Amino acid sequence: MNKINVKRDGNILTIGDTPQLVVDLENQKNYIVFAGKQVPYHQEIAFSEDILAGKRENVFQTAVNYYYEQACEFIKGIKIAEEYRPFVNKSTREY
């Protein structure tokens, strides 16, 4: 499995490149950035300070992979809904 890029700036953790999962470790106002959009992501994402400090790298990478995979699945759902929306609106107007 490829290692996912993670950057930390204070309480902000940015996971991945495209899409990017942005986690506010302090207040959990998380969001995902993709295709020029910023979408709120309401799943709680928690890391202990010792894991963030690099004491258990394997645990950190496992958690990052899990959270990022879940965020990517969330984005896939949004993309499907956006692609389907024109058909729903069209069929609703026809009736």
Side-chain angles (χ1 to χ4, degrees):
M1 182 177 287
N2 293 337
K3 188 172 180 178
I4 298 169
N5 290 332
V6 179
K7 297 175 200 155
R8 184 173 184 187
D9 185 18
N11 286 325
I12 304 297
L13 199 64
T14 304
I15 302 171
D17 296 317
T18 303
Q20 283 188 324
L21 173 58
V22 180
V23 179
D24 188 322
L25 298 166
E26 186 174 322
N27 63 22
Q28 287 295 308
K29 291 190 178 182
N30 309 324
Y31 58 92
I32 301 171
V33 177
F34 77 101
K37 301 175 187 178
Q38 183 174 312
V39 178
Y41 189 61
H42 298 291
Q43 181 173 339
E44 181 179 354
I45 299 174
F47 291 100
S48 64
E49 281 302 318
D50 67 323
I51 290 175
L52 289 170
K55 291 185 181 176
R56 294 183 286 167
E57 182 65 27
N58 61 333
V59 174
F60 178 73
Q61 282 304 316
T62 300
V64 163
N65 289 340
Y66 172 77
Y67 289 132
Y68 189 69
E69 182 178 312
Q70 293 299 308
C72 289
E73 290 297 320
F74 178 75
I75 293 305
K76 282 181 190 176
I78 289 175
K79 288 179 180 179
I80 290 168
E82 287 176 345
E83 290 171 5
Y84 188 67
R85 184 177 294 135
F87 300 108
V88 172
N89 289 339
K90 182 179 178 183
S91 62
T92 302
R93 283 181 266 163
E94 290 175 355
Y95 291 105

